[in-house]
Amino acid sequence: MTSWLRFQVGDGASPSGERLLDAETFRAFHDVPADAAEYGYGWHRTTTEDETAPLIGHGGTLATFASGIEFSPVTGTGAVVLSNAAGEPMALTHNAVVAVDGGTPRSTSNPFDPFNAVVLGIAALVLLAGVVVVVRSRTWAVRRAAGAPRWRVLRLVPLAVLTVLGALLPWLGAQLMGLAEPVAAYRVVLWLYPAVVLLGLAIFLAAGGGLTARLVRLRTATAQKATVRRAPAPHR
């Protein structure tokens, strides 16, 4: 990538001096339209109208890596960023080139911060709800064992469904990205969106814990009620 970048900031000749393109043709490859949405000869215009440095570049990303290359055809300054993670490498290349050329780098931030904050907040609420279900499981079991309508046991079905959903949440999220293979799906979601994995874990623990607590309490309450029924009546 560095060799490719050095060729791009040159005049169309190879590092050994061999002429590959004449200067006019070479410059045409970097003649990208001003509209940032346009795509010319593999390059995008990466500067806005209020920026003076005429930078062009190209970035790429997949699930587990990202890369960017950017340079100034005028000053010859360029930068390459290769990352084995998701991110915004073009922000780093841009700031590197601008900083060397004496410009003002752009401010950067993690675009996933708001998403992660919301997902983690939901995960916290789910865990809190799970604690409430566990704490109230004894009351639920006593009422069920005391002869509450049998349909009350159906309240265990949502907890069972949520337990399965929590375990499958990362895989379901990967399905939206077109990843059907389970192992790859969990690995990619864990790499890109760890907050989703934490949310799935929170749902699994909350629902699974609540389901287990209700079943255990129900078994205990039923056994206690059966013991009371079998106890002999006191003699008078």
Side-chain angles (χ1 to χ4, degrees):
M1 288 294 288
T2 303
S3 297
W4 177 242
L5 177 58
R6 286 174 176 169
F7 174 71
Q8 295 300 324
V9 298
D11 61 355
S14 69
S16 63
E18 178 184 1
R19 173 60 57 183
L20 302 179
L21 294 171
D22 63 72
E24 183 178 355
T25 302
F26 185 74
R27 285 193 299 270
F29 279 95
H30 300 157
D31 187 16
V32 183
D35 186 347
E38 296 292 338
Y39 183 94
Y41 295 107
W43 299 110
H44 293 283
R45 183 178 296 274
T46 59
T47 50
T48 59
E49 294 182 357
D50 60 340
E51 293 178 311
T52 57
L55 303 186
I56 60 175
H58 185 83
T61 181
L62 285 179
T64 56
F65 73 85
S67 62
I69 179 173
E70 195 167 9
F71 61 94
S72 169
V74 176
T75 65
T77 304
V80 173
V81 171
L82 304 177
S83 170
N84 61 346
E88 194 177 358
M90 294 299 289
L92 300 179
T93 58
H94 181 91
N95 284 348
V97 174
V98 171
V100 171
D101 287 345
T104 303
R106 297 172 180 172
S107 59
T108 59
S109 62
N110 187 346
F112 290 111
D113 282 346
F115 172 80
N116 289 331
V118 171
V119 172
L120 291 177
I122 295 175
L125 292 177
V126 168
L127 288 176
L128 179 61
V131 171
V132 172
V133 173
V134 170
V135 171
R136 298 181 62 181
S137 61
R138 183 178 182 278
T139 302
W140 178 89
V142 170
R143 293 180 61 186
R144 178 68 184 86
R150 298 183 62 85
W151 58 263
R152 286 185 180 276
V153 76
L154 295 178
R155 292 186 178 182
L156 296 175
V157 174
L159 292 177
V161 172
L162 287 174
T163 302
V164 176
L165 177 63
L168 296 180
L169 184 61
W171 178 77
L172 294 174
Q175 288 289 299
L176 300 178
M177 297 186 289
L179 298 172
E181 203 278 316
V183 176
Y186 278 84
R187 183 176 66 248
V188 169
V189 173
L190 178 62
W191 192 288
L192 293 179
Y193 308 106
V196 173
V197 178
L198 293 177
L199 175 59
L201 181 61
I203 295 175
F204 178 81
L205 292 177
L211 178 63
T212 302
R214 284 190 172 186
L215 288 174
V216 171
R217 291 289 190 178
L218 180 60
R219 182 178 179 180
T220 302
T222 303
Q224 290 176 347
K225 183 177 181 180
T227 301
V228 171
R229 287 178 177 177
R230 290 195 299 267
H235 295 285
R236 295 184 178 179

